[in-house]
Amino acid sequence: MENKIIGICGNGSISELEQISNDPNFVFINDVNYQTVVLYNEQGSVINVNSWIECANYVNGGWFYGIYDLINAEKYVFFMSAFFLVVYKFITKNNLRTDV
Amino acid sequence: MKSTTIYKILIGLIIILAPWLISKSIYETPLPAQEIVNESVGFYQTNTCRYSLGEVFKENVVNEKIEILPDLSSKIECFGKVNGVDVVGEKIKVYVGTNPNIDFILQSIFWLLIISFIPRGKIYIKKFPNSVAIFIMIGLLLLHLRGEEKFYVLGFKNFDISISFDNYVLLSFLIVIVLILQIFSDLMATRFYNLINYFPFIFLLAGTYNSLNINFFLLIISFIGLIGLQEGYFSKIFTFSYFFISIIHLTTFKISNVYFDVDKLKGFINSSQNYSSLIFWILIIYLFVNGLMYIFKTSKNNINLAKIKINFLLSGSFIVIVGIISSVYNYINYLAYYYLGLNKLGIKSFNSIEGNTWRGISPSAEAAGEFFALAVLFWIIASHFEYIKITSLEIFLLVINLYGLYRSNNFAATLSLILILIAYFLNVSKISSRSKKITHLISLFLLIIVVNSSNEYSYDFTSKTLLHQGVSASIISSDFPGNEYGLNAAENSNFGQILLVSDSEINLSSSLKYTLKEFTENGNIKFLPDKIALWSVISVPINRSEKWGIFLAKYNPNLNEALFGYGPQQLANYYLGHPTKFNDGLVLPHSSLLDILIFYGLVGVAIILLFIAIFTIKNVGNSIFFYPWIFILINYVKSDSILYLSSFTLALFILNLYDYEPAIDYE
């Protein structure tokens, strides 16, 4: 997880993250020097985080970077393969092309 | 060049290049790709799945510091993109995303495209349609994925074998195999009979999927095996003996939750130890062998020796050339691995490694050396046998193959090549039969003297070396008593004392215990060397005493397993079942005979040896079969070649030349 946090949010103090997890009233303060990072969750929600600690906290909670994680690409692979198979069978069955 | 060929080449180029060039489809990429140096590693670690290999290539056309490796388990969206970068010593490892679903499609389509280059010939007519065979192959793939779930789960976090209509990971595999087999069937309609002449290329195009423990040729030849069964072709003796042993495997099988790291044996070995994986490998090996025999049997009249011998040389030459290029250029190294379906990435250095061997793109330098020597042997015998004209191109290719043999540093293959060629030319010479016999005897006598003189150790020492290595590889308790010089019985080769101590002090395998007892307790027959001592003496000059000693230390079968083995391609029990000092890394038995012993036990070994003996003696007069076959027998006894699909196929290919008769018309 530590590597994932550093990978997405950049370098920071992991011990600081452990401290805030015990403080339910902690409020994140924007860091003007921190470039806003966009995070996503499995429901497709989007959040902009504006400090390293905020970013680390969300990544630690299962949020991730990039909407790729939301796409079921295997579904597209399956339907594309099925489509290709049908077209291929159609072509070969109708002798549009007898040999490859 | 025909327009179809141009289209095929263009499609091939698209398949090779396009997957590694796609990028920026969804992500915004704020910064362009950078040169990969130690300072930019963090940048790539933060921006994973963003930059395609093509983009990285533009900034790192020549960057000797980087090693390109596949990230086997990335998401489909990250295919072809840099998914991780690590500094390891002096090198920077760049992991490029690959995915099992995409590998299955992409690699299969590329290999089908290569098969489409086989020239068309007579139409292959079947009595029955393919649908049943395709349906069974779907079932087999499902069985494989279920049985070896551990292999896939370890690398592929989305892997799910549950059968449901929304499990697209599984559905994709199943639809793609239908597609592959359908296209393959159509290709075979006009190429089936010509396939036999292109078997030498199986050494170049290995066909192992990047992220699957399965091989393309295993699938398609097993499919042919099923078609052969449909058409009524099968060997009764093979089927009966194989399934007799298989039933014993199934009834006595011990399930274990182990995972065997397949490493360079990927695609042709069982990674698990459960019923699903065992049944899969039993069926697939039977179908694979049946498929090969069906191809060889039905294509017998289409064998074109001139074509086969040049294909051997071409295949060997491509292996050498691609091996050299991929050893000096990292991108080609990666692409060659992926598109040739190599078991492991080619060697990354042009310099030789341990033992002065250079394996190029082959998984093993030994197997590569055997192939180059076989290519040379086959070319010489075929050219002489059928008085086929030798072209300057062939001489050029021959030189490349000889260079490959030299670089592989396979002394046994080189020596056996020379000796077999001497024997061949002696036998076909016009001197009298009596003179030939005398010359053979003198040569054999000289060979024994030469081998013996090169051995600097005494008989007493060499006869114990194998067992000493076996005991040394076993786990010995620190409390094991030593003599007055501090040497314990294991270090001192005092086998009698070792047999007296309890299992808690030295954990010997059943096979090592048996051989130690045989060596120390059974009396010698006068004038005959002890069988264990003889085995040990033979192992020393061929540099196998350590490997075979480790085999003895590891091989721990019960009576049933010793008789019938663990099952086809089942190394997990042998490898992980008995702890020794060699439980990490892939330390193989280094003998195909020992591999067969592990898989099929003493009964299997006896059946195979009996078959080989009868078959070889019966066809001794057929030079095109006999000499290459003897070469294979000699070399495979001291190598694990049978564990590689290409070497296994090649052995069966040569075996099936036993009744070759020169054809009048080719194609």
Side-chain angles (χ1 to χ4, degrees):
Chain A
M1 183 52 80
E2 196 176 324
N3 284 342
K4 196 175 175 187
I5 292 170
I6 294 167
I8 296 173
C9 309
N11 286 318
S13 165
I14 297 293
S15 58
E16 202 182 329
L17 178 67
E18 283 161 8
Q19 281 169 17
I20 67 156
S21 61
N22 301 321
D23 181 0
N25 300 317
F26 187 85
V27 178
F28 295 111
I29 301 161
N30 284 1
D31 179 352
V32 286
N33 297 319
Y34 191 81
Q35 194 182 345
T36 306
V37 175
V38 184
L39 298 175
Y40 302 83
N41 73 0
E42 283 178 358
Q43 284 74 45
S45 307
V46 183
I47 188 170
N48 292 324
V49 287
N50 297 304
S51 69
W52 181 87
I53 190 72
E54 187 180 9
C55 175
N57 183 55
Y58 278 96
V59 172
N60 198 33
W63 289 66
F64 45 80
Y65 188 56
I67 53 173
Y68 275 167
D69 298 76
L70 293 172
I71 303 165
N72 185 349
E74 284 82 10
K75 192 172 174 176
Y76 292 98
V77 171
F78 169 73
F79 283 113
M80 277 178 71
S81 305
F83 174 73
F84 188 74
L85 181 64
V86 171
V87 171
Y88 179 79
K89 284 293 280 180
F90 177 79
I91 291 171
T92 47
K93 203 170 181 182
N94 291 288
N95 290 324
L96 293 175
R97 192 65 213 269
T98 50
D99 188 25
V100 193
Chain B
M1 203 186 283
K2 280 179 7 189
S3 60
T4 329
T5 313
I6 296 169
Y7 286 135
K8 283 181 192 172
I9 292 170
L10 282 175
I11 293 169
L13 285 173
I14 291 169
I15 294 173
I16 291 174
L17 298 174
W20 319 99
L21 299 175
I22 300 165
S23 66
K24 298 181 186 174
S25 54
I26 297 174
Y27 274 128
E28 280 177 39
T29 311
L31 293 165
Q34 296 181 11
E35 187 189 350
I36 300 176
V37 286
N38 283 13
E39 290 72 31
S40 63
V41 166
F43 169 79
Y44 280 103
Q45 284 178 340
T46 310
N47 296 295
T48 55
C49 190
R50 281 197 172 197
Y51 300 101
S52 70
L53 186 62
E55 283 174 293
V56 171
F57 172 74
K58 269 196 272 178
E59 300 300 320
N60 299 272
V61 178
V62 180
N63 186 345
E64 288 175 8
K65 220 173 150 52
I66 61 171
E67 258 181 46
I68 302 167
L69 301 157
D71 170 24
L72 299 178
S73 57
S74 82
K75 287 169 172 290
I76 288 179
E77 305 82 45
C78 300
F79 189 96
K81 299 189 181 83
V82 173
N83 228 10
V85 177
D86 280 319
V87 180
V88 179
E90 292 290 298
K91 290 274 179 184
I92 299 174
K93 297 199 173 197
V94 177
Y95 294 92
V96 179
T98 59
N99 171 278
N101 284 105
I102 299 293
D103 293 339
F104 198 38
I105 302 175
L106 194 63
Q107 292 186 290
S108 302
I109 296 289
F110 181 73
W111 295 328
L112 286 168
L113 188 75
I114 298 289
I115 289 175
S116 76
F117 281 99
I118 295 176
R120 285 177 227 163
K122 208 168 71 179
I123 292 177
Y124 169 61
I125 299 163
K126 298 188 295 281
K127 285 185 231 153
F128 302 99
N130 295 329
S131 34
V132 177
I134 292 179
F135 187 73
I136 295 171
M137 289 305 294
I138 295 173
L140 280 174
L141 183 66
L142 204 58
L143 196 64
H144 165 72
L145 296 172
R146 183 173 283 274
E148 301 198 37
E149 197 175 357
K150 215 164 203 173
F151 173 89
Y152 294 100
V153 168
L154 280 174
F156 185 25
K157 66 175 180 181
N158 286 347
F159 186 76
D160 180 9
I161 192 66
S162 58
I163 299 168
S164 76
F165 285 111
D166 58 359
N167 181 3
Y168 291 104
V169 171
L170 182 65
L171 290 174
S172 293
F173 277 120
L174 302 186
I175 195 91
V176 170
I177 194 168
V178 176
L179 186 64
I180 294 166
L181 296 178
Q182 196 58 60
I183 297 174
F184 178 68
S185 301
D186 293 339
L187 285 172
M188 282 302 102
T190 50
R191 290 172 179 88
F192 182 79
Y193 296 110
N194 289 341
L195 200 59
I196 193 159
N197 297 320
Y198 293 85
F199 266 88
F201 283 109
I202 205 163
F203 229 89
L204 172 69
L205 198 72
T208 306
Y209 289 103
N210 168 52
S211 50
L212 306 174
N213 186 28
I214 205 155
N215 185 294
F216 173 73
F217 293 106
L218 187 70
L219 286 179
I220 60 167
I221 294 173
S222 301
F223 176 63
I224 293 177
L226 269 170
I227 291 171
L229 280 179
Q230 271 187 187
E231 302 292 305
Y233 175 81
F234 63 96
S235 156
K236 281 179 190 157
I237 300 172
F238 169 61
T239 305
F240 173 77
S241 44
Y242 186 81
F243 282 105
F244 168 71
I245 294 181
S246 297
I247 287 166
I248 294 169
H249 288 152
L250 286 169
T251 49
T252 59
F253 189 63
K254 282 185 276 186
I255 297 174
S256 173
N257 197 27
V258 295
Y259 167 68
F260 173 66
D261 183 4
V262 294
D263 195 41
K264 64 180 178 179
L265 305 177
K266 189 171 70 179
F268 201 51
I269 206 80
N270 190 348
S271 67
S272 302
Q273 199 179 322
N274 57 54
Y275 273 111
S276 300
S277 70
L278 178 70
I279 295 169
F280 169 78
W281 284 102
I282 286 175
L283 293 175
I284 206 89
I285 292 294
Y286 173 77
L287 292 173
F288 182 64
V289 173
N290 196 58
L292 286 172
M293 292 199 298
Y294 181 60
I295 294 169
F296 299 141
K297 194 83 186 167
T298 46
S299 321
K300 210 116 241 186
N301 297 331
N302 286 66
I303 292 178
N304 183 337
L305 221 50
K307 195 160 269 180
I308 293 173
K309 75 175 179 121
I310 190 117
N311 284 344
F312 259 117
L313 291 184
L314 275 171
S315 179
S317 302
F318 278 126
I319 291 168
V320 174
I321 294 164
V322 176
I324 292 171
I325 298 171
S326 77
S327 69
V328 292
Y329 199 50
N330 34 28
Y331 295 94
I332 300 292
N333 184 285
Y334 178 75
L335 292 177
Y337 157 79
Y338 193 83
Y339 287 104
L340 295 177
L342 306 181
N343 293 47
K344 63 192 275 191
L345 282 146
I347 194 166
K348 292 181 183 75
S349 162
F350 186 61
N351 300 322
S352 303
I353 48 160
E354 53 176 311
N356 205 22
T357 61
W358 186 78
R359 66 176 175 85
I361 56 169
S362 176
S364 130
E366 203 164 30
E370 285 166 6
F371 179 78
F372 294 130
L374 185 69
V376 173
L377 179 69
F378 195 89
W379 178 80
I380 293 173
I381 293 178
S383 302
H384 186 260
F385 184 70
E386 285 204 333
Y387 306 107
I388 303 169
K389 201 180 155 198
I390 297 167
T391 63
S392 47
L393 172 71
E394 285 179 21
I395 300 292
F396 174 68
L397 297 175
L398 185 75
V399 171
I400 299 176
N401 277 271
L402 286 170
Y403 176 72
L405 177 60
Y406 162 71
R407 289 304 309 272
S408 72
N409 198 29
N410 189 333
F411 178 71
T414 312
L415 184 68
S416 50
L417 168 70
I418 294 166
L419 292 176
I420 289 171
L421 279 177
I422 291 171
Y424 170 72
F425 282 109
L426 190 66
N427 280 347
V428 294
S429 68
K430 287 178 181 156
I431 59 172
S432 69
S433 167
R434 193 163 174 268
S435 307
K436 281 179 189 172
K437 278 179 190 161
I438 292 169
T439 319
H440 277 308
L441 280 173
I442 293 170
S443 307
L444 188 68
F445 187 66
L446 283 174
L447 184 68
I448 292 169
I449 289 175
V450 168
V451 170
N452 202 36
S453 63
S454 66
N455 182 11
E456 58 202 60
Y457 305 108
S458 67
Y459 174 81
D460 186 52
F461 177 81
T462 52
S463 64
K464 287 181 180 176
T465 307
L466 181 72
L467 294 175
H468 175 76
Q469 293 286 357
V471 173
S472 302
S474 303
I475 293 172
I476 301 165
S477 156
S478 54
D479 302 331
F480 202 57
N483 63 8
E484 66 269 34
Y485 304 109
L487 294 172
N488 63 35
E491 290 156 338
N492 220 9
S493 295
N494 191 346
F495 303 137
Q497 193 191 338
I498 288 167
L499 285 169
L500 291 174
V501 298
S502 68
D503 282 350
S504 61
E505 285 183 292
I506 182 162
N507 192 6
L508 298 179
S509 71
S510 56
S511 67
L512 186 57
K513 230 182 236 177
Y514 173 79
T515 41
L516 284 172
K517 269 187 190 166
E518 278 293 304
F519 185 77
T520 48
E521 293 173 9
N522 282 3
N524 277 343
I525 302 166
K526 213 173 179 187
F527 304 120
L528 277 178
D530 178 80
K531 53 185 179 298
I532 308 294
L534 185 66
W535 184 18
S536 180
V537 168
I538 292 169
S539 75
V540 174
I542 60 171
N543 197 21
R544 282 293 172 269
S545 53
E546 187 196 1
K547 303 291 181 194
W548 291 349
I550 295 170
F551 165 80
L552 282 175
K554 289 180 93 69
Y555 186 49
N556 186 39
N558 58 30
L559 181 65
N560 190 64
E561 288 160 348
L563 286 174
F564 301 103
Y566 296 112
Q569 315 308 100
Q570 184 76 39
L571 273 183
N573 205 334
Y574 156 76
Y575 205 75
L576 304 164
H578 182 76
T580 63
K581 288 176 187 165
F582 295 88
N583 293 324
D584 298 318
L586 193 64
V587 185
L588 294 168
H590 279 73
S591 166
S592 296
L593 203 61
L594 297 179
D595 297 328
I596 295 170
L597 181 70
I598 294 167
F599 298 154
Y600 306 107
L602 288 166
V603 172
V605 168
I607 293 172
I608 290 169
L609 286 182
L610 185 71
F611 167 76
I612 287 174
I614 294 171
F615 211 76
T616 310
I617 293 165
K618 227 171 139 181
N619 297 291
V620 74
N622 181 356
S623 304
I624 206 68
F625 152 77
F626 183 73
Y627 295 95
W629 178 240
I630 293 294
F631 173 86
I632 283 176
L633 290 183
I634 292 170
N635 282 281
Y636 280 28
V637 164
K638 60 167 284 299
S639 75
D640 286 305
S641 295
I642 207 135
L643 297 178
Y644 303 102
L645 184 135
S646 42
S647 299
F648 180 87
T649 307
L650 222 54
L652 278 183
F653 172 73
I654 296 294
L655 183 73
N656 275 278
L657 290 174
Y658 73 97
D659 60 350
Y660 170 75
E661 282 172 19
I664 300 160
D665 291 313
Y666 294 132
E667 280 176 30

